[in-house]
Amino acid sequence: NIPTNDFLCVFSMVLIDTTSLRQKLSTKKICFGSNLKYLRKKTGLNQAEFAEIIGKKKSAVGYYESGGGFPDLNIAKQISDYF
């Protein structure tokens, strides 16, 4: 049996690690999104034009650029190949 205080300590450490991981992922999403937006604008494309190139909807490009999430690997490869 784990004493209550030890359990709470371990549980708190897990929560801290999870929160830290979420913050790191959030930062990476924002960096990816801002880089994608920069590259898209640098090539003179609007979101709708770029979405058509990668086979997604304009809203998906906006989602990526706002840091809402990452594209799946196939789309990420298409983006990488394009730039």
Side-chain angles (χ1 to χ4, degrees):
N1 291 352
I2 300 174
T4 305
N5 289 341
D6 290 345
F7 173 76
L8 291 175
C9 183
V10 170
F11 183 70
S12 296
M13 290 169 48
V14 169
L15 286 178
I16 290 169
D17 285 347
T18 304
T19 302
S20 178
L21 178 61
R22 275 193 222 124
Q23 289 170 344
K24 288 176 186 174
L25 285 174
S26 178
T27 301
K28 289 180 194 257
K29 287 177 189 174
I30 292 167
C31 290
F32 174 82
S34 61
N35 288 339
L36 178 61
K37 185 175 184 176
Y38 169 79
L39 291 170
R40 176 184 58 76
K41 286 186 167 193
K42 185 177 176 185
T43 58
L45 298 170
N46 63 37
Q47 286 183 341
E49 293 166 332
F50 186 66
E52 189 174 326
I53 290 168
I54 63 171
K56 297 298 267 184
K57 293 182 179 181
K58 177 186 172 205
S59 59
V61 173
Y63 181 71
Y64 304 148
E65 289 182 355
S66 69
F70 293 112
D72 63 40
L73 289 177
N74 292 330
I75 299 300
K77 181 170 180 352
Q78 286 181 325
I79 292 170
S80 175
D81 290 345
Y82 184 80
F83 294 117

